[in-house]
Amino acid sequence: MSTRTYLSAATGWSNGMLLERAAQGDQLAWRQLVDKYDSLVRSVAGSFRLQEADVYDVAQNTWLGLVQHLHTIRDPERLAGWLTVTATRQSLRLLRQALRQHLEPMIEDTPDPDPAVDTETRVAARDAAQDLWAIVAKLPRRQQRLLITLFRDEMNSYNDVAAECSMPIGSIGPTRARALSSLQRRLAQRRRDDF
């Protein structure tokens, strides 16, 4: 059978057949899977407003995940759902890493309080700041971004904040209120857990 005839036949195969053939090393079957679902995977990553290079990374990691799980997909006809969930998890993982990289310098750059304050108080303040940023990192991405933007020194107006966060001005207040309420609850829970 020629490659062209084989490829034509492969286009009519079910997901189960494509996965089975790809697991056996069939590159044409693998190519069919990628051709069929790559735009879905990239659109999921793109919905997180990732940069092009990050969308590429999410797609690569999602396809790598499929390679590692070719034999374990239980319902091949629901492959689109599996790829969507995997791409979503990869996107969130990438966003969490970016947030940690963004927050760590903030924690390190937190100025020490008055130098006259004793070391124990300074250490307690540093620990409190780290706890706070750890809780901020667990908030939904939109709330994280808004809080970070609101509390940066160079942001002066709601217009600046709205532009930076890609949200309507009218959403800033309610989103901030939800974020601060969530922070307050999580801090209170952490204090209860510490006792």
Side-chain angles (χ1 to χ4, degrees), residues 33-146:
L33 285 169
V34 173
D35 288 347
K36 188 173 181 180
Y37 291 109
D38 197 51
S39 61
L40 169 70
V41 170
R42 289 176 184 276
S43 71
V44 169
S47 72
F48 287 90
R49 297 185 180 183
L50 299 174
Q51 295 179 357
E52 188 176 338
D54 293 333
V55 169
Y56 177 82
D57 287 346
V58 166
Q60 291 298 322
N61 287 329
T62 300
W63 291 117
L64 177 62
L66 181 59
V67 167
Q68 294 168 340
H69 292 92
L70 281 171
H71 297 289
T72 63
I73 302 294
R74 283 184 262 173
D75 188 352
E77 297 314 311
R78 299 180 89 186
L79 180 60
W82 189 93
L83 290 167
T84 299
V85 168
T86 303
T88 298
R89 288 178 179 159
Q90 290 294 328
S91 299
L92 291 171
R93 182 187 59 76
L94 194 133
L95 289 170
R96 278 193 297 272
Q97 287 175 342
L99 180 65
R100 266 196 300 276
Q101 290 171 352
H102 183 74
L103 293 179
E104 284 173 3
M106 291 179 146
I107 293 169
E108 295 303 317
D109 293 342
T110 304
D112 285 332
D114 183 352
V117 175
D118 63 59
T119 303
E120 184 177 327
T121 303
R122 283 194 302 246
V123 168
R126 172 68 56 97
D127 289 347
Q130 289 176 334
D131 287 347
L132 176 65
W133 286 116
I135 292 171
V136 168
K138 293 179 182 175
L139 291 174
R141 183 171 185 267
R142 185 174 188 197
Q143 292 179 10
Q144 293 170 11
R145 188 171 182 192
L146 178 62

Side-chain angles (χ1 to χ4, degrees), residues 19-35:
L19 288 169
E20 184 180 321
R21 301 286 303 228
Q24 295 168 2
D26 186 331
Q27 292 301 309
L28 291 174
W30 178 255
R31 189 178 326 151
Q32 281 297 320
L33 285 169
V34 173
D35 288 347

